[in-house]
């Protein structure tokens, strides 16, 4: 993050175009929350959003399965793609349970997310639930940016944690985008960093009150925009420039709006009795 303001997240909200993205996202979220199906069947929408969000996040991490395949499978302990989908599903189920801890200790939550992602697969046993150490390889198929060294990772994670705990006046979209981007940049764990970054984005959106029922799966929107667009927008975040940061925030905002569109379609299907 390139700003040195006393509230750097809030300062990002004043970048050109960001206020428009924030406003557009808020209006989209308000519309789906106002849908008549939400008054009586919101739990079903939440469950379906978690499933579709997990599918989208896994797709970005190289396991692009059809939704019905994700829905019907029960065994996710096989090959690498199956493990990725299983990790995404577990993270989706866990995210909403960690809100109170997130506000007090984001680093504890990140460690928990890595434990949940790895599950009982036995992968990376020695490094599960802790930031990577010098010499440890990182398995992240999508992001090829240079890896910060462990000392830089530790410092930046601490700084991010302090910003989250301090709160501030930044819009939820801005905070969620920065958390997402910073975790992708740092790749603090030996595995599943992309899945964890997107789960952390989800936690911020829920905990901020923007999406308290977790029905607006940004992961769906990230996947729908495509891996190339995701990486290009992330390159903007890495640049640290005002333009690059604003482009990343706008990309994340568009992802939320596409997630809203997905859940709106689910609401419409339930209303027609087709789901």
């Amino acid at each position: 993050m390139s700003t040195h303001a006393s509230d750097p997240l809030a300062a990002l909200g004043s970048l050109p175009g960001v206020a428009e993205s924030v406003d557009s996202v808020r209006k989209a979220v308000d519309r789906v929350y106002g849908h008549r199906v939400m008054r009586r069947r919101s739990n079903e929408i939440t469950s379906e959003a978690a499933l579709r969000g997990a599918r989208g996040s896994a797709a970005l991490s190289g396991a692009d399965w059809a939704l019905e395949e994700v829905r019907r499978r029960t065994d996710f302990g096989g090959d690498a793609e199956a493990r990725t989908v299983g990790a995404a599903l577990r993270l989706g189920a866990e995210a909403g349970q960690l809100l109170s801890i997130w506000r007090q200790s984001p680093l504890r939550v990140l460690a928990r997310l890595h434990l949940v992602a790895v599950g009982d697969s036995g992968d990376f046993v020695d490094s599960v639930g802790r930031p990577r150490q010098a010499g440890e390889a990182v398995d992240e198929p999508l992001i090829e940016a240079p890896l910060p060294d462990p000392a830089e990772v530790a410092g930046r994670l601490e700084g991010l944690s302090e910003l989250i705990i301090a709160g501030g006046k930044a819009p939820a979209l801005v905070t969620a985008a920065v958390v997402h981007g910073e975790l992708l940049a740092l790749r603090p764990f030996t595995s599943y960093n992309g899945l964890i970054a997107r789960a952390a984005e989800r936690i911020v959106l829920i905990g901020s009150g923007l999406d308290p029922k977790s029905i607006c799966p940004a992961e769906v929107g990230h996947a729908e925009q495509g891996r190339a667009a995701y990486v290009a927008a992330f390159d903007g975040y890495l640049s640290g420039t005002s333009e690059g940061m604003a482009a990343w925030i706008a990309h994340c905002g568009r992802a939320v709006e596409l997630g809203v569109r997905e859940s709106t379609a689910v609401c419409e299907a339930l209303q027609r009795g087709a789901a």
Side-chain angles (χ1 to χ4, degrees):
M1 293 175 286
S2 60
T3 177
H4 297 283
S6 58
D7 188 348
L9 295 180
L12 292 174
S14 65
L15 293 176
V18 170
E20 291 82 354
S21 293
V22 168
D23 185 56
S24 181
V25 166
R26 167 51 71 188
K27 289 177 179 176
V29 172
D30 286 347
R31 282 195 299 272
V32 71
Y33 270 85
H35 197 287
R36 65 176 65 188
V37 169
M38 282 295 296
R39 290 198 293 271
R40 60 189 187 278
R41 304 181 73 174
S42 64
N43 289 342
E44 293 173 69
I45 309 301
T46 297
S47 295
E48 190 65 19
L51 181 74
R52 295 177 185 226
R55 194 219 72 82
S57 192
L60 284 171
S61 287
D64 192 1
W65 289 14
L67 180 63
E68 292 311 313
E69 176 70 5
V70 177
R71 194 189 304 280
R72 75 168 187 84
R73 283 283 288 267
T74 57
D75 177 15
F76 297 98
D79 60 19
E81 284 196 9
R83 292 196 297 274
T84 295
V85 174
L89 286 167
R90 290 190 297 273
L91 287 170
E94 187 81 1
Q97 312 302 314
L98 299 171
L99 299 179
S100 61
I101 304 172
W102 176 260
R103 298 184 186 104
Q104 299 170 5
S105 181
L107 300 185
R108 280 180 58 199
V109 169
L110 294 175
R112 172 65 183 168
L113 291 176
H114 192 231
L115 283 165
V116 168
V118 173
D120 58 5
S121 68
D123 291 346
F124 310 99
V125 170
D126 293 338
S127 62
V128 173
R130 63 155 174 79
R132 57 185 168 81
Q133 298 174 357
E136 290 183 329
V138 173
D139 179 20
E140 180 50 54
L142 184 58
I143 304 302
E144 298 179 351
L147 279 170
D149 64 45
E152 181 179 350
V153 169
R156 286 171 64 176
L157 280 177
E158 188 62 37
L160 184 64
S161 177
E162 289 172 358
L163 285 174
I164 293 166
I165 292 169
K169 298 180 179 180
L173 173 63
V174 172
T175 303
V178 168
V179 167
H180 183 170
E182 192 69 355
L183 292 175
L184 278 185
L186 297 178
R187 281 148 288 159
F189 302 105
T190 53
S191 58
Y192 299 121
N193 289 288
L195 295 181
I196 290 167
R198 292 183 288 275
E201 179 184 50
R202 168 77 70 93
I203 289 171
V204 173
L205 294 173
I206 299 169
S208 67
L210 177 65
D211 181 22
K213 294 184 183 292
S214 192
I215 62 167
C216 307
E219 305 97 321
V220 168
H222 287 303
E224 187 170 332
Q225 292 179 90
R227 299 178 91 195
Y230 184 74
V231 171
F234 174 60
D235 284 344
Y237 180 88
L238 283 179
S239 75
T241 64
S242 296
E243 295 81 2
M245 295 294 286
W248 171 247
I249 294 166
H251 182 88
C252 291
R254 180 59 179 156
V256 176
E257 292 184 65
L258 290 169
V260 167
R261 188 176 71 180
E262 186 88 354
S263 287
T264 301
V266 172
C267 288
E268 295 293 333
L270 287 171
Q271 185 167 286
R272 293 191 305 269

